[in-house]
Amino acid sequence: AGSEAADMLMLMIAIWGIQNFMWRQKRVTRDLISGAICIYMLAGLVWSDAYSLCEIFRNGSFSGIDLGENVFAIRGALTYFSYVTMLTVGYGDILPVSYMARSLSILQGLFGQMYLAVFIAGILGAFLSQQNLGSAGREQQGPDEIDRP
């Protein structure tokens, strides 16, 4: 359990650092968009660690995982389940059985959809709006003014 908790903490610190970088930006840049995508990908790993902790503290929290496999295979299966849940694909080959696992799955599904629909879409909309405003400003300037600072 210590390894999963430490991994989760390290990932959360990385997410916090990226989030701090993003909040300091005055404009929406490609770096900001990349940061938002990195947070989404790292969040999937945080949820995977949460599922691992859930399975450690309550054996059998998930069906469809062979607990006889080595720890890496189990972690791989839970990482797979994490991203399938966050993307709300839900193939059904791994299912949450315990109340804690079901609750975490619901929260992750909500997080994944809200993050994409609200946060990422908002950032991309602001980025495209900036691009359109920038090109409109260049069109209104005379040909001599385009290259001037």
Side-chain angles (χ1 to χ4, degrees), residues 92-108:
D93 51 346
I94 299 173
L95 300 172
V97 177
S98 72
Y99 290 118
M100 180 59 73
R102 287 180 180 177
S103 297
L104 288 173
S105 298
I106 290 168
L107 288 173
Q108 186 183 16

Side-chain angles (χ1 to χ4, degrees), residues 8 23 30 38 79 81 85 100 118 128 137-140:
M8 186 183 266
W23 284 119
R30 286 181 174 82
C38 285
T79 300
F81 175 75
T85 301
M100 180 59 73
V118 176
L128 293 174
R138 286 191 297 270
E139 290 172 4
Q140 291 176 356

Side-chain angles (χ1 to χ4, degrees), residues 4-94:
E4 285 80 5
D7 189 42
M8 186 183 266
L9 179 64
M10 187 248 348
L11 290 166
M12 287 178 165
I13 289 170
I15 290 171
W16 177 78
I18 295 168
Q19 189 68 43
N20 269 347
F21 164 79
M22 291 172 63
W23 284 119
R24 287 192 311 262
Q25 302 304 305
K26 305 254 188 273
R27 294 178 40 87
V28 179
T29 62
R30 286 181 174 82
D31 288 341
L32 193 125
I33 294 169
S34 296
I37 293 168
C38 285
I39 287 175
Y40 186 77
M41 300 302 292
L42 290 171
L45 295 175
V46 170
W47 287 102
S48 174
D49 285 331
Y51 294 136
S52 293
L53 287 171
C54 187
E55 186 64 40
I56 288 169
F57 290 123
R58 176 136 187 221
N59 208 1
S61 289
F62 295 90
S63 69
I65 296 176
D66 182 12
L67 297 177
E69 294 282 333
N70 64 34
V71 68
F72 298 110
I74 295 170
R75 291 285 306 264
L78 290 172
T79 300
Y80 160 80
F81 175 75
S82 174
Y83 284 108
V84 166
T85 301
M86 194 160 65
L87 295 168
T88 64
V89 176
Y91 292 122
D93 51 346
I94 299 173

